[in-house]
Amino acid sequence: MHVPFDPHLLRSAGPLQALDARCKVLGFAALIVCSVSVPRERWQPAAAFLAAAALLLLLARLPWGPLLKRLLLLLPILAAVALVVPLSKAWAGADRVALWPDGPLVPRPALLVAWNVSAKALTGTVLALVLAGTTGAPALLDAFSRLRFPRHLLLIASFIHRYTATLVEELERMRRARDARGWRGRWLWHTPVLGRMLGTLFLRSYERGERVWLAMLARGWNGRFYSSPPRPLAPHDLAFVGWMLAAGLALRFAWGL
Amino acid sequence: MTPPAVCIRDLTFRYPDGTMALQNLSLEVPPGARVALLGSNGAGKSTLLLCLNGLNDPAGTIEVEGVPVTRPNLAALRARIGLVFQNPDDQLFCPTLFDDVAFGPRNQGLPEDQVLTRVHDALHAVGLDGLEEKSAFHLSFGQRKRAALATVLSMKPGILALDEPSANLHPRARRELAAVLRAAGGTHLIATHDFDLARDVCDRAVLMWKGRVEAEGTVAEILGDRKRLEDVELE
Ligand SMILES: Nc1ncnc2c1ncn2[C@@H]1O[C@H](COP(=O)(O)OP(=O)(O)OP(=O)(O)O)[C@@H](O)[C@H]1O
Ligand SMILES: [Mg+2]
């Protein structure tokens, strides 16, 4: 079974790819934090951050197909925002503007909020995808642990990364075994068979967890993870963090506090 | 006089659900021996290997190279016994193959440059050079089996305990595995259903049946006795 996982998004060559993973994490985090702190009364900074994210995206030269597929996941959220925000009671009495000539009237502040939320969500997602696509899961996990992220959270993330594909494969095998024995339900969710399959999948994952744990103990695990030391930081790694922070602050405050 | 590689006395183990997996099992493995653990499904082979590594807590005594398998000795013992699980997906849990093979040596506290050579040598021994940065789920099954072996070869264990190393391998991968095992030094304990592998790699065989040792001898003796193999449901 084909597993939609980050190898498809990854590109190994490019200017961003060569940077130290820790510096990339810090730089992108700085930009994201600055972008979410933009006040909702202004539209320009959000647009500027979106442009900055687009610029980094171009620099990263990620493959468009997988990238768009992941961005599509945002659509339902954005649609919900666009529908719900203008209906809020908070805008009673605010002046209204037409969306297009002779179009529906919406409160001006609602429009601003909807724009800000959507732009920020898009910016954050694009930046996260660029970071993931130019770094890769192993290096990213290692960078987070070197930045002293909680070890257990990282452990969980790393196991999810390692075993998602295995689980999907297992589910696929069960599905095939079910179909091979003549099961002809039209919809997967029409049947208790799915429930039983998920139950089995859960038990198998649970038992796999125990066996993995034993395999770790058998090789002398003492509760710590070690990884190869990364290459020493180069001036351009630090410069990248500096640039991202400076750009974030500049865009954030260019239109006032 | 060097103590036996493994010395087991009156081992009894019951799983929490009540299954009697090992009953009064006694076994001695001389240093450097290549022993095939033969036995039908459920005979207790996997359970025995887990006990060797202190992963089950049985009644009776086990000594590995003269050192009893007890809690305070576990860290040192686990560095001496390389246990490879039947399913390579249980054994390969790191983001990259390199990290998986480096996991044991790093836990032993080796400096990074030694870890590097260990990983390199182990991957070379199993013929997976150059795949260091691959993730385990992008390897074929046969490659994963060999990678699982590399994760313990890198620890340079004195004793290799392998659970069904050739299960689900096609003939050629099987032959390659046998060659890797013949080349690896130390004492081997190989739980297997694969008579050809036993003949290719091992000099001794232990026949298990219902949690006990039914017979012991050279591989030829054990595999030559058709009647007995039928009695223990292996033929
Ligand atoms: N986790 C467990 N919980 C309960 N019973 C178990 C567990 N693992 C194994 N058993 C039981 O213990 C007995 C010995 O099992 P074991 O896995 O050691 O056999 P085996 O010789 O390795 O068999 P196979 O050749 O099928 O791998 C079997 O009866 C089995 O059902
Ligand atoms: Mg077994």
Side-chain angles (χ1 to χ4, degrees):
Chain A
M1 158 126 192
H2 181 78
V3 180
F5 227 69
D6 68 352
H8 303 280
L9 187 66
L10 247 121
R11 270 297 137 88
S12 51
L16 290 178
Q17 282 78 346
L19 290 168
D20 178 85
R22 290 165 293 176
C23 292
K24 258 189 281 184
V25 169
L26 289 179
F28 277 82
L31 202 59
I32 292 176
V33 168
C34 290
S35 88
V36 292
S37 70
V38 167
R40 66 177 191 191
E41 297 83 32
R42 277 189 219 101
W43 64 269
Q44 304 95 326
F49 276 110
L50 196 52
L55 194 69
L56 285 166
L57 186 59
L58 289 178
L59 267 180
R61 281 185 253 132
L62 299 184
W64 288 105
L67 191 73
L68 287 178
K69 235 190 270 168
R70 282 160 182 78
L71 283 178
L72 280 184
L73 293 179
L74 260 185
L75 266 189
I77 300 171
L78 297 188
V81 169
L83 284 178
V84 171
V85 168
L87 299 179
S88 161
K89 290 228 163 51
W91 323 122
D95 64 329
R96 295 171 163 262
V97 286
L99 274 183
W100 54 86
D102 300 327
L105 292 174
V106 287
R108 186 188 292 279
L111 211 55
L112 264 178
V113 167
W115 156 251
N116 260 306
V117 171
S118 325
K120 284 177 189 178
L122 196 56
T123 306
T125 312
V126 167
L127 289 177
L129 286 175
V130 170
L131 179 60
T134 57
T135 314
L140 208 51
L141 287 168
D142 188 52
F144 276 112
S145 86
R146 286 179 192 283
L147 293 170
R148 307 198 178 274
F149 261 62
R151 188 152 44 89
H152 290 99
L153 290 185
L154 290 176
L155 210 55
I156 292 170
S158 125
F159 284 133
I160 291 176
H161 169 252
R162 166 63 183 84
Y163 285 107
T164 305
T166 314
L167 279 183
V168 171
E169 248 173 42
E170 208 142 291
L171 190 64
E172 184 69 6
R173 273 205 300 273
M174 282 195 263
R175 205 180 60 78
R176 245 183 271 139
R178 179 203 66 194
D179 294 349
R181 279 176 275 167
W183 188 80
R184 288 223 309 270
R186 183 154 156 62
W187 299 104
L188 211 54
W189 50 88
H190 272 171
T191 160
V193 171
L194 178 70
R196 256 177 276 147
M197 277 169 58
L198 288 180
T200 309
L201 190 66
F202 172 78
L203 277 182
R204 288 192 187 172
S205 320
Y206 183 81
E207 285 174 358
R208 174 181 304 277
E210 290 208 317
R211 291 195 306 268
V212 170
W213 161 247
L214 290 180
M216 292 167 78
L217 288 184
R219 278 188 274 158
W221 194 49
N222 52 13
R224 287 203 46 195
F225 270 94
Y226 307 88
S227 55
S228 327
R231 67 168 169 78
L233 289 181
H236 62 263
D237 293 319
L238 298 172
F240 175 77
V241 183
W243 273 109
M244 292 287 270
L245 187 61
L249 292 175
L251 297 182
R252 167 67 185 81
F253 295 114
W255 288 271
L257 276 179
Chain B
M1 202 193 98
T2 48
V6 177
C7 178
I8 300 170
R9 294 255 171 277
D10 296 323
L11 206 65
T12 298
F13 181 76
R14 191 194 285 276
Y15 276 103
D17 69 353
T19 314
M20 205 43 151
L22 299 174
Q23 293 185 54
N24 288 320
L25 182 144
S26 296
L27 179 67
E28 216 176 280
V29 179
R34 309 287 173 106
V35 181
L37 280 178
L38 304 171
S40 54
N41 295 123
K45 305 179 296 291
S46 302
T47 309
L48 178 62
L49 294 185
L50 289 178
C51 291
L52 279 187
N53 221 301
L55 295 169
N56 282 337
D57 194 15
T61 59
I62 309 180
E63 285 183 8
V64 173
E65 296 173 336
V67 181
V69 177
T70 51
R71 190 159 275 283
N73 301 332
L74 282 187
L77 282 172
R78 284 173 180 165
R80 296 294 303 152
I81 305 188
L83 173 61
V84 181
F85 288 64
Q86 182 165 348
N87 184 343
D89 278 326
D90 299 339
Q91 186 97 18
L92 305 166
F93 44 78
C94 294
T96 65
L97 190 53
F98 180 93
D99 287 326
D100 262 318
V101 181
F103 184 81
R106 279 171 176 160
N107 286 336
Q108 293 173 338
L110 292 183
E112 197 60 24
D113 53 331
Q114 280 186 43
V115 171
L116 219 72
T117 29
R118 290 278 186 101
V119 173
H120 180 267
D121 294 349
L123 286 177
H124 181 71
V126 300
L128 291 180
D129 318 64
L131 297 185
E132 282 87 348
E133 294 312 316
K134 276 209 120 166
S135 163
F137 67 76
H138 292 139
L139 299 177
S140 76
F141 189 83
Q143 286 175 328
R144 264 181 281 172
K145 281 297 257 197
R146 281 185 281 159
L149 186 58
T151 64
V152 302
L153 288 182
S154 63
M155 298 172 75
K156 291 202 191 289
I159 302 172
L160 275 181
L162 311 178
D163 202 348
E164 317 262 0
S166 63
N168 300 328
L169 290 188
H170 65 80
R172 164 145 185 198
R174 228 202 92 262
R175 280 198 300 279
E176 286 168 359
L177 176 86
V180 171
L181 291 180
R182 276 196 305 269
T187 310
H188 292 194
L189 266 169
I190 305 179
T192 185
H193 298 283
D194 181 346
F195 290 175
D196 291 331
L197 184 81
R199 281 193 201 96
D200 279 3
V201 179
C202 301
D203 38 45
R204 295 191 65 75
V206 171
L207 194 58
M208 287 183 67
W209 171 239
K210 297 198 168 156
R212 303 168 198 269
V213 173
E214 180 74 19
E216 258 188 273
T218 65
V219 174
E221 275 166 22
I222 296 291
L223 293 184
D225 192 339
R226 299 294 290 253
K227 170 78 178 59
R228 188 160 55 203
L229 290 180
E230 269 170 36
D231 286 346
V232 301
E233 295 173 8
L234 263 181
E235 274 282 285

